[in-house]
Amino acid sequence: MSVSRQQNETASRAERGPRARTRKLMLDTATRLMQSGITPSVSEVAEAAEVSRATAYRYFPSQAALVHAVVGEALGPILDWSSDSPDARTRVADLLATAMPRIDEFEATFKAALKLSLDQWVQRQAGTLGNEPLFTRGHRVDLLKCATAPLQGTVTPESRERLAQALSLVFGVEVLIVLKDIWGLTSARAQAVAEWAAKALVDAAIRQAESEA
């Protein structure tokens, strides 16, 4: 069982007045905790926000639902990104220029969400996850499909899908983990490396298509 972005958006639109304020209080509290490096449970957020556990679980019935909502808030303008450029290089560059500063700003939140995903994987492997809903991540799939759309007709569908999959390796908080935590790069340098790698991947896909034409 998974938690979808659509479910969170529907719940948000349905809440007005005091309900909306309570939900915002919980999201703000959860964001503050996640920005400090914690992956909080619903009960922990309820305690920090000074609302009852019963109230908290009415808004977020699971940790996965809570973290998914916080991630959606953190992603913010990234989820609204779109481009009409007919050039894939331009689209991909624009996506990274839009997304990576935001991901860097909420780096701790995205790392906390990644930790939940990894913890659930361990629990699933051990058979101890039970009925806890899965925390799913997949926004980058749709974003990268849009970014590579201009290549439709230029490269094969298989090559375009492979390119989007390759680009997903240089787009997201995982990039910051490798380039900042392991390589010790600054945020600006990490973004520059990610943008360079993305351009190289797009160029390679186009060259391969041209050589096979």
Side-chain angles (χ1 to χ4, degrees):
M1 182 164 42
S2 65
V3 179
S4 71
R5 179 190 173 201
Q6 183 178 6
Q7 289 173 327
N8 287 328
E9 290 177 341
T10 300
S12 180
R13 287 195 299 268
E15 294 161 1
R16 297 291 185 272
R19 286 184 60 84
R21 288 193 292 271
T22 300
R23 186 176 189 276
K24 184 177 185 304
L25 171 63
M26 292 194 62
L27 283 176
D28 289 346
T29 302
T31 298
R32 174 171 54 80
L33 293 173
M34 290 177 72
Q35 281 291 83
S36 70
I38 300 170
T39 308
S41 66
V42 178
S43 296
E44 289 169 336
V45 173
E47 182 178 355
E50 298 183 345
V51 301
S52 71
R53 291 187 180 184
T55 296
Y57 277 100
R58 281 200 296 272
Y59 288 92
F60 303 104
S62 68
Q63 186 183 33
L66 173 66
V67 173
H68 201 283
V70 173
V71 168
E73 292 290 318
L75 287 171
I78 300 175
L79 297 181
D80 296 326
W81 177 86
S82 64
S83 174
D84 295 325
S85 173
D87 180 66
R89 295 182 184 89
T90 301
R91 283 201 189 191
V92 170
D94 182 65
L95 174 59
L96 264 66
T98 299
M100 293 309 294
R102 181 78 178 187
I103 293 172
D104 186 75
E105 179 183 358
F106 288 93
E107 179 180 356
T109 289
F110 294 125
K111 283 182 175 178
L114 177 59
K115 180 178 181 299
L116 174 60
S117 182
L118 295 174
D119 286 345
Q120 286 192 337
W121 181 87
V122 172
Q123 292 169 354
R124 191 165 62 250
Q125 293 298 109
T128 59
L129 184 60
N131 294 322
E132 177 70 17
L134 290 176
F135 171 67
T136 58
R137 303 181 303 145
H139 296 299
R140 77 184 74 185
V141 174
D142 291 335
L143 289 167
L144 289 170
K145 284 181 178 179
C146 176
T148 58
L151 293 177
Q152 186 172 353
T154 301
V155 303
T156 65
E158 294 79 9
S159 294
R160 183 184 160 202
E161 183 176 35
R162 183 176 58 206
L163 172 61
Q165 292 166 348
L167 287 169
S168 70
L169 300 175
V170 295
F171 175 53
V173 72
E174 297 87 350
V175 180
L176 301 185
I177 293 172
V178 172
L179 295 179
K180 292 177 67 177
D181 297 349
I182 296 177
W183 280 93
L185 301 187
T186 64
S187 296
R189 183 58 181 160
Q191 179 172 341
V193 171
E195 291 174 347
W196 177 87
K199 182 179 182 301
L201 288 169
V202 175
D203 287 344
I206 294 173
R207 283 197 304 270
Q208 182 177 18
E210 291 173 344
S211 67
E212 294 175 349

